[in-house]
Amino acid sequence: MSNDLMILPASKHEGIRLIQIPDDLEEREAYRYVTGLIAKVEEDSEYTWEDIQDLLEERGFEAVDFVLGPMLD
């Protein structure tokens, strides 16, 4: 698995996610894929992070645990 990571920002810090990008995707392609997937899921009025995570995992993305540190500004 690659070391390329993507932060999925959120309006509340509890919603921030970190995912690992599959080896067979370039950064731009991964960005477009994730953007499209999230847009598709958001069309459904009721969804959770787990819904998005399941679809990402089907494509080879992997959720990564992390610790959110203090703000820098």
Side-chain angles (χ1 to χ4, degrees), residues 9-22:
S11 57
K12 296 181 181 179
H13 72 276
E14 302 89 13
I16 297 171
R17 303 289 187 235
L18 181 65
I19 57 174
Q20 191 165 24
I21 299 171

Side-chain angles (χ1 to χ4, degrees), residues 7-68:
I7 297 171
L8 303 178
S11 57
K12 296 181 181 179
H13 72 276
E14 302 89 13
I16 297 171
R17 303 289 187 235
L18 181 65
I19 57 174
Q20 191 165 24
I21 299 171
D23 290 331
D24 64 336
L25 286 179
E26 294 179 8
E27 289 179 28
R28 284 180 149 177
E29 186 180 3
Y31 183 90
R32 284 191 294 262
Y33 181 84
V34 172
T35 301
L37 184 137
I38 291 172
K40 183 177 181 180
V41 171
E42 285 180 339
E43 288 176 0
D44 193 7
S45 60
E46 295 292 323
Y47 68 92
T48 64
W49 159 246
E50 287 74 23
D51 298 328
I52 295 170
Q53 184 177 4
D54 289 343
L55 294 172
L56 288 170
E57 287 176 350
E58 286 177 13
R59 178 57 182 89
F61 290 86
E62 189 175 318
V64 178
D65 292 330
F66 67 97
V67 175
L68 188 61

